[in-house]
Amino acid sequence: MTTPSIASFINNASYQDDYDPNSMPVAKARHFIKQFLSPVIESEIVELRASLGRVLAADILSPANVPNYDNSAMDGYTFNADDINVGSTTRLKVIGKVFAGKSFTGEIARGECVRIMTGGMMPADVDTVIVQEKVSTDGEYITFTEAPKRAMNVRYAGEDLQLGKTVLAAGHLMHPADLGLIASLGIGEVAVYRKLKVAFFSTGDELASIGQDLKTGQVYDSNRYTLYGMLLSMGVEMIDLGAIADDPELLEKTLLEASKLADVVITSGGVSVGEADYMKLLLAKHGQVMFWKIAMKPGRPLAYGKIQGSPTKIAHYFGLPGNPVAVMVTFYQFVREALLVLMGQPNPPALPLFKVECTQPIRKLTGRTEFQRGLLFADTDGNWKVKPTGAQGSAILSSMSLANCFIVLDESIGNVDAGTMVQVQVLDGIV
Ligand code: AMP
Ligand code: MG
């Protein structure tokens, strides 16, 4: 697969009727970014548990059937369904016992049954299990009137996984269930793509770092902390290059260092218009970068491109807005998916959108997508509803901290009345 160059895209962009960098729809920007993403190819073998949150670099084939043998799904009695007296009582003689992981080697004649525990191996002459609660015992006999259907309560060999079949394909992101699934095959090591390296720094003369005194006009740099949190949950290797003043030489040095060290460089601040425009000049000097005003709120300015860190090293670049909420929204809406692709997952599943009732009115302009910070809550009847988390300015990080979802209002939506159904995107567990 050849990746088009961004330069050729930038040169051709003006000829595309619907390309407007001053009003780029969210979906379109996502699509543009995706065409330039080249995933990591190097892989390593890791112990099964260490693969959690990583992406498989090779298919996992089942070396066996799981389960390995036909077994009982219940504690009960196993017998041949031909022995059922349809419409009346069935009476069977109990001739033995089989526990989980054990087998019964004797013969079971017609009219006989064997006591069997969950996971016990199905003996050769029988095909059905009745749960113990449905039988009455009478010395060495059991009786029952409510008979199960043939094959009831039997788990068959290969029912979960079949020998030779692909259990999980390369490109799969490992979740807790996958660890168990692979363990159930007796496989203790797997091949995963190497960790993605992500370098980031904040830009702005006004930024102070924790531990420094806050001078007049300064704010503490919070973006590197939210980025740290979001990147940590994505399982990437992080390189934090600090808060850099709007000084062209320092910015250039840091940008080049970041591009040499990492696969992806993320900066916050300095990409909006009217800014001391050093970042733009630097990005033009060392790479191919597109600047968009996304038709969204918050998160309007966004830059994406590639930076030449050294003659042999190119890094992906994301220039996020400076405002703290905008950093998080653009990360969730653009960077997260791009990182998943770069980590080796070719088609990351879209984040689900659910419709729920919004209990408060929301003022909103058409023509842009808004990501309002929302709180999903259960009302007194136990129905889940959503409300915005208060003031929604893009610098108001507490609105994000209180939120457990985004209320996603797309371009066609205007003011929202209380009681309207709105789309929400749940935040917990996304990254
Ligand atoms: P900018 O995009 O650089 O114009 O920044 C937009 C707003 O976000 C300004 O009010 C900045 O002070 C603020 N800001 C930029 N970077 C940070 C940061 N790292 N932490 C907190 N606020 C920031
Ligand atoms: Mg700035």
Side-chain angles (χ1 to χ4, degrees):
M1 192 180 70
T2 56
T3 312
S5 88
I6 296 178
S8 75
F9 176 77
I10 295 173
N11 290 335
N12 290 323
S14 52
Y15 301 112
Q16 299 181 15
D17 309 340
D18 58 348
Y19 180 81
D20 180 1
N22 288 313
S23 180
M24 176 63 91
V26 174
K28 191 155 234 179
R30 240 185 233 139
H31 176 75
F32 275 127
I33 292 170
K34 207 166 176 196
Q35 353 171 20
F36 300 108
L37 301 174
S38 34
V40 293
I41 43 174
E42 302 86 355
S43 62
E44 56 183 325
I45 306 284
V46 297
E47 191 270 329
L48 177 56
R49 275 174 282 216
S51 71
L52 186 67
R54 308 278 299 265
V55 178
L56 289 179
D59 293 351
I60 305 279
L61 303 181
S62 181
N65 282 319
V66 177
N68 217 298
Y69 49 88
D70 297 351
N71 65 86
S72 175
M74 296 296 218
D75 291 339
Y77 296 84
T78 183
F79 59 97
N80 189 317
D82 290 338
D83 282 342
I84 294 170
N85 277 330
V86 181
S88 68
T89 301
T90 303
R91 186 164 190 268
L92 300 169
K93 185 175 182 194
V94 184
I95 61 154
K97 261 190 194 157
V98 46
F99 290 101
K102 297 279 188 313
S103 57
F104 177 84
T105 45
E107 270 181 35
I108 306 172
R110 300 296 304 273
E112 293 178 344
C113 70
V114 161
R115 175 108 173 92
I116 194 164
M117 299 303 166
T118 307
M121 192 168 173
M122 287 292 289
D125 308 313
V126 292
D127 57 13
T128 304
V129 173
I130 185 166
V131 296
Q132 61 192 18
E133 292 78 9
K134 297 235 163 122
V135 308
S136 308
T137 49
D138 166 17
E140 52 182 359
Y141 285 85
I142 58 163
T143 58
F144 54 88
T145 45
E146 202 188 315
K149 291 212 174 72
R150 188 187 296 277
M152 274 291 275
N153 304 316
V154 179
R155 300 190 286 217
Y156 290 99
E159 191 176 274
D160 191 356
L161 304 169
Q162 286 128 50
L163 170 71
K165 286 270 168 66
T166 302
V167 177
L168 293 169
H172 180 85
L173 183 71
M174 290 289 291
H175 291 286
D178 305 320
L179 296 183
L181 193 67
I182 294 177
S184 77
L185 299 169
I187 297 174
E189 289 183 330
V190 293
V192 292
Y193 290 113
R194 74 161 168 80
K195 281 194 178 180
L196 201 64
K197 290 194 191 104
V198 180
F200 58 96
F201 58 97
S202 300
T203 72
D205 276 340
E206 75 283 26
L207 301 181
S209 292
I210 294 178
Q212 295 174 339
D213 288 333
L214 207 57
K215 300 197 188 86
T216 313
Q218 284 195 319
V219 293
Y220 281 117
D221 172 9
S222 60
N223 290 344
R224 280 187 300 129
Y225 288 81
T226 43
L227 278 173
Y228 168 87
M230 295 186 290
L231 289 167
L232 186 72
S233 355
M234 295 202 65
V236 302
E237 220 171 84
M238 280 184 269
I239 305 161
D240 181 345
L241 295 172
I244 310 296
D246 291 317
D247 166 326
E249 273 175 35
L250 265 181
L251 287 171
E252 182 168 32
K253 186 175 148 279
T254 313
L255 181 71
L256 291 179
E257 187 189 348
S259 318
K260 271 184 215 134
L261 292 173
D263 302 299
V264 179
V265 177
I266 301 176
T267 62
S268 70
V271 291
S272 49
V273 183
E275 186 77 26
D277 261 344
Y278 305 121
M279 279 308 278
K280 270 195 180 163
L281 292 175
L282 282 177
L283 296 168
K285 182 172 166 193
H286 294 290
Q288 302 160 352
V289 176
M290 291 185 270
F291 296 87
W292 293 310
K293 290 202 184 88
I294 310 280
M296 70 189 270
K297 190 187 169 195
R300 218 158 118 71
L302 181 76
Y304 166 75
K306 294 190 179 181
I307 305 293
Q308 188 91 45
S310 73
T312 53
K313 177 71 177 51
I314 290 176
H316 293 271
Y317 172 75
F318 289 91
L320 308 186
N323 270 312
V325 180
V327 165
M328 296 197 75
V329 172
T330 48
F331 185 95
Y332 282 118
Q333 300 305 325
F334 301 103
V335 184
R336 171 192 167 273
E337 184 180 86
L339 293 184
L340 290 174
V341 173
L342 293 172
M343 285 161 74
Q345 214 188 348
N347 292 304
L351 296 177
L353 285 168
F354 300 100
K355 278 206 152 175
V356 299
E357 186 188 320
C358 185
T359 58
Q360 288 176 20
I362 300 176
R363 287 168 61 83
K364 149 96 172 51
L365 295 173
T366 56
R368 66 184 184 201
T369 304
E370 286 199 12
F371 296 90
Q372 296 244 342
R373 277 69 71 206
L375 182 69
L376 283 162
F377 65 98
D379 71 5
T380 44
D381 296 329
N383 295 315
W384 283 83
K385 295 184 174 168
V386 72
K387 61 183 175 195
T389 57
Q392 296 282 314
S394 59
I396 301 179
L397 201 48
S398 55
S399 71
M400 192 74 216
S401 178
L402 291 169
N404 56 13
C405 71
F406 285 129
I407 301 173
V408 184
L409 304 170
D410 68 27
E411 290 162 40
S412 64
I413 295 175
N415 288 338
V416 173
D417 295 330
T420 310
M421 300 295 279
V422 293
Q423 302 211 87
V424 297
Q425 202 166 53
V426 176
L427 285 173
D428 223 25
I430 292 180
V431 293

